[in-house]
Amino acid sequence: MRRHPTGLALCALLAVWLLSGVRADEPVVRDEAVLARQATMKSAKAALAVLAEMSALRRNFDRAAARAARARLQEALADLPDRFEQPYSDRHTRARPEIWENWPAFLRSAETAQEAARGLRTSSLPALRRSLPAMMSACLACHSRYRTER
């Protein structure tokens, strides 16, 4: 069987592209400040996921685990302004330039999220369910304004 040279070239180019491409779950840069920013956002997301899973009954409510998740979330959100203070952008970033173009507005959004995290109630499932929507709303509002879609 004879192989078409164009087909072989396309396969070779595809293989090179797939093997050399940046994976979405790998750090895009080696800059310590950027890696810290990514780690902070991943930590906040993981903590919020625990609380959301409990609220949705996909995970049993556990007061100690809920409090630990709230503490991790509060810690991550407290670090947020410091993590975003220095502008950084590359072809893989999801941060919009509006963060740095209107820094005071971004700081207000960060403070709103911090207040919502302090307002999370983890003493019981009903308390968590009442307080979690404010946290989710703060996250979504900030992301809709300062984060690009993929």
Side-chain angles (χ1 to χ4, degrees):
M1 178 164 112
R2 185 179 164 127
R3 301 201 192 280
H4 194 277
T6 306
L8 289 174
L10 287 175
C11 287
L13 283 173
L14 180 61
V16 168
W17 178 72
L18 288 172
L19 295 174
S20 67
V22 176
R23 290 183 32 202
D25 61 342
E26 291 179 355
V28 177
V29 295
R30 299 285 182 230
D31 183 279
E32 290 299 319
V34 174
L35 293 175
R37 183 170 85 190
Q38 292 171 344
T40 297
M41 294 307 294
K42 284 181 182 179
S43 177
K45 180 181 178 182
L48 191 56
V50 168
L51 297 171
E53 288 171 5
M54 285 182 191
S55 179
L57 302 177
R58 288 190 300 269
R59 176 187 292 225
N60 288 331
F61 179 80
D62 177 316
R63 183 182 296 173
R67 285 185 176 156
R70 179 185 64 191
R72 283 193 313 274
L73 182 60
Q74 288 172 335
E75 182 180 318
L77 294 176
D79 290 344
L80 206 57
D82 292 340
R83 298 292 183 243
F84 280 89
E85 190 171 23
Q86 295 300 315
Y88 183 84
S89 183
D90 67 23
R91 66 188 179 113
H92 300 286
T93 190
R94 295 183 72 181
R96 290 183 178 166
E98 287 87 345
I99 293 172
W100 302 282
E101 291 169 359
N102 192 350
W103 184 248
F106 177 77
L107 290 178
R108 285 191 299 276
S109 293
E111 179 58 34
T112 299
Q114 291 166 358
E115 288 174 12
R118 287 190 294 271
L120 282 170
R121 299 293 168 243
T122 56
S123 59
S124 68
L125 180 59
L128 177 62
R129 284 181 163 175
R130 283 190 303 273
S131 59
L132 191 57
M135 184 73 250
M136 300 296 285
S137 178
C139 291
L140 292 172
C142 195
H143 283 193
S144 69
R145 184 170 184 184
Y146 298 113
R147 184 178 181 207
T148 63
E149 297 282 329
R150 279 229 170 152

